[in-house]
Amino acid sequence: MTALLTRLLAALALLLGLIAPARADDISAAGRGVVRVVTIAVVEGEVVGFGHGSGFAVAPNRVITNAHVVEAAERYPGNVMIGVVPSEGDKSYQGRLIALDSDRDLALIEFGGIRLPPLTFYNGPMGEGDAMIALGYPGNVDLATARSAADFITPLSPVRSQGVFSGRRNLQGVNVLLHTAGIARGNSGGPLLDPCGRVLGVNSAITRADDGDASFGFAIGNDEVAAFLREAGQSMPANGVACTSIADRLAQDRNEAERTRAADEARAREAAAKAAAERETALDQALVDNFAMRENFMAAATLLLVLGAMSLGAAGFFHTNGQRREMIWAAGGGGVLVLAALVTFLTRPAFDPKAIESAARVAVPPAAQPSGLGKMVCTIDPARSRVTVSSTQDVNIDINADGCVNGRTQYAETARQNWQRILVPDDEQTVSVLEYAPGTRTYSTTRYLLPASQMADARKLRSEVKIKACSTDQAVRADLASRQQTIRTALPQVFNERLVYSCKPAG
């Protein structure tokens, strides 16, 4: 039995050229966590049954699907094998049924050998008419295109179809979503997504379309899925932030940048007008001070001249009376006073325009700016964010003047005097650009959800980054900035997610 499965799985390598590259959008990113679930029934070494459906990752090594897709594996565990076929790569993997709920029509499968990107669930409000996208492997498409059984275990991107939310219903005691996204047999167990690629439910059934009737789909609601996963001991990544399209987010960024520019220009004009008014006031005061100073010098010169004349008169009086010694002292003192009066008059301040202008200059100290360094608590700003796959909990950072964050991660300084670090993990298909702006105390995480080929390229570039810890060496940080720019250039022009946080000092 194992040898037979090995031969079937080996056929995957023959058709790798048919794998289509994923599009750089949220649905394609979610599709990298969608799988085909295959069941193969073997009796005495012979394949006697074959079935398939869809599923998606709720953990790197676990996928959820419908119970009816794998119910044969529960009934005949020794004769039915479960295969998990990812949308990328060159292999499929054997799975193991670890939880099954026939009432909710849900099952949980565990596998090894590969790590898949888990999908995020949306737990916010929905309105009738909201857009919904189904991903999976419809059997009618397979029947039309498959050339052999090997095609069913060949990695291939899932088929997408779009419709709208048509309300909630109860299907055999289970809360379900009614929708118009086109699904068929084979879509069972696949995700129903919102436009941001978050799971709204698990597709499970369709209505019959007899006599030209329109076909509708049923998806098991997230409340039922959450209960099932909770009972299975499996966590469920979720958020309830309203979906914002990338186009809207970029438009909001442009509008915000324009508002910031206009506000900066208005502040600059206000500061210039204030400085001009202060200069005029200072100039008027300088003129008044100059005039007063001239008057004081001239008054002092006049007083000295009068005192000098009186001393000289006294010297004449002493000469007439034959008081020679007194005459000499009086004549000398009078001469000094007259000379001092002349010097004072000649050194009086003049109406020098340059001197007046220099005296009118007002030194305006720069406004004190918060350093934005140290321990910070950063809270999500929904109005400036685009949330798709991440939680929105507060982020704690501790950054110093050298760009060392939390005592272990070195950030590189950007041209805007911000601090930035690009993370390329080995076990995720996500590149994250982390940036902190001390001047505005703004922290942001921009994520790119990439296919395997682009992740391989990013990891190759990341391997050239030599710095592994914080450093005070500016040359080392400059090299980090240069290599990070190379990684940044290789990323798509449009991101999948951007979380923007407003930070304040901790405590």
Side-chain angles (χ1 to χ4, degrees):
M1 181 171 62
T2 303
L4 175 61
L5 180 60
T6 302
R7 288 197 300 271
L8 288 172
L9 298 183
L12 298 174
L14 300 177
L15 297 172
L16 290 179
L18 299 178
I19 300 175
R23 292 171 52 193
D25 63 2
D26 296 321
I27 305 305
S28 290
R32 292 189 279 276
V34 176
V35 301
R36 188 198 298 270
V37 178
V38 178
T39 58
I40 303 173
V42 180
V43 176
E44 296 180 355
E46 296 293 331
V47 175
V48 297
F50 181 87
H52 86 279
S54 303
F56 60 92
V58 293
N61 65 333
R62 289 182 175 181
V63 296
I64 192 171
T65 186
N66 284 149
H68 72 259
V69 172
V70 293
E71 61 183 353
E74 182 194 28
R75 292 182 184 179
Y76 312 105
N79 297 97
V80 177
M81 295 177 294
I82 299 175
V84 175
V85 187
S87 62
E88 294 184 314
D90 57 1
K91 294 181 181 180
S92 59
Y93 303 87
Q94 187 167 352
R96 179 174 66 92
L97 184 63
I98 61 173
L100 186 140
D101 187 332
S102 298
D103 293 333
R104 294 191 178 99
D105 194 17
L106 294 171
L108 189 63
I109 300 169
E110 188 174 74
F111 56 92
I114 188 176
R115 294 177 61 87
L116 296 179
L119 275 65
T120 297
F121 290 79
Y122 175 69
N123 56 13
M126 291 184 292
E128 293 192 11
D130 286 354
M132 295 183 169
I133 300 96
L135 284 183
Y137 296 91
N140 50 8
V141 174
D142 290 328
L143 291 174
T145 60
R147 294 173 296 178
S148 68
D151 288 345
F152 288 89
I153 55 172
T154 298
L156 193 69
S157 60
V159 176
R160 71 170 74 185
S161 60
Q162 184 164 339
V164 298
F165 178 46
S166 301
R168 295 181 181 272
R169 296 291 189 274
N170 187 284
L171 184 64
Q172 299 178 354
V174 178
N175 294 322
V176 296
L177 310 180
L178 183 65
H179 64 87
T180 63
I183 59 175
R185 293 179 178 87
N187 278 104
S188 296
L192 182 67
L193 308 171
D194 73 354
C196 281
R198 297 173 297 187
V199 179
L200 302 171
V202 180
N203 285 313
S204 63
I206 56 174
T207 59
R208 296 182 62 181
D210 295 337
D211 300 323
D213 292 341
S215 177
F216 289 86
F218 294 106
I220 302 166
N222 282 350
D223 53 345
E224 302 280 6
V225 178
F228 167 70
L229 291 177
R230 185 166 55 250
E231 293 168 5
Q234 175 60 52
S235 61
M236 174 176 157
N239 69 59
V241 181
C243 180
T244 302
S245 71
I246 292 179
D248 289 343
R249 178 69 268 160
L250 293 177
Q252 292 171 9
D253 288 345
R254 288 192 294 269
N255 292 337
E256 183 178 349
E258 180 61 25
R259 287 193 298 269
T260 301
R261 185 190 62 80
D264 290 342
E265 290 180 352
R267 284 193 293 269
R269 289 193 297 269
E270 181 180 351
K274 181 179 179 181
E278 292 177 348
R279 177 185 173 282
E280 289 297 327
T281 300
L283 184 61
D284 291 342
Q285 185 62 45
L287 288 170
V288 170
D289 293 344
N290 182 270
F291 179 77
M293 186 65 70
R294 282 173 56 84
E295 292 296 316
N296 290 338
F297 268 70
M298 293 179 68
T302 301
L303 177 60
L304 291 172
L305 183 62
V306 170
L307 292 176
M310 292 176 62
S311 295
L312 292 176
F317 174 78
F318 289 137
H319 177 71
T320 302
N321 294 328
Q323 297 175 296
R324 179 176 177 79
R325 183 177 179 181
E326 287 78 0
M327 178 198 71
I328 294 174
W329 280 102
V336 170
L337 289 172
V338 172
L339 181 60
L342 180 62
V343 171
T344 301
F345 179 79
L346 294 177
T347 58
R348 70 190 185 281
F351 287 102
D352 183 0
K354 292 183 179 180
I356 300 296
E357 184 74 18
S358 176
R361 290 197 184 103
V362 179
V364 181
Q369 296 292 334
S371 67
L373 300 177
K375 294 182 178 180
M376 295 283 166
V377 177
C378 304
T379 303
I380 193 73
D381 184 350
R384 301 168 62 193
S385 301
R386 182 176 192 263
V387 184
T388 58
V389 299
S390 301
S391 67
T392 56
Q393 297 177 344
D394 289 354
V395 174
N396 297 312
I397 64 171
D398 184 0
I399 182 169
N400 66 18
D402 293 319
C404 178
V405 174
N406 298 333
R408 61 180 181 272
T409 306
Q410 181 63 54
Y411 283 42
E413 193 169 12
T414 70
R416 295 179 297 175
Q417 296 184 332
N418 296 339
W419 293 101
Q420 184 183 96
R421 185 64 188 257
I422 299 179
L423 302 181
V424 187
D426 290 325
D427 56 356
E428 297 179 16
Q429 288 190 218
T430 303
V431 173
S432 300
V433 180
L434 314 179
E435 186 163 332
Y436 180 66
T440 59
R441 293 179 177 174
T442 301
Y443 182 74
S444 66
T445 300
T446 302
R447 290 194 170 92
Y448 299 82
L449 310 181
L450 304 180
S453 59
Q454 290 185 343
M455 283 302 304
D457 293 339
R459 291 185 181 113
K460 183 177 179 181
L461 293 174
R462 189 274 314 271
S463 67
E464 298 176 1
V465 177
K466 304 305 180 184
I467 183 171
K468 302 299 181 182
C470 292
S471 175
T472 58
D473 190 332
Q474 292 185 354
V476 171
R477 298 206 301 263
D479 180 71
L480 173 63
S482 175
R483 296 186 185 279
Q484 286 196 155
Q485 183 58 39
T486 302
I487 299 175
R488 188 69 180 267
T489 302
L491 295 176
Q493 293 183 349
V494 179
F495 55 83
N496 291 96
E497 179 179 67
R498 175 172 291 163
L499 309 181
V500 181
Y501 300 83
S502 296
C503 304
K504 61 181 180 181

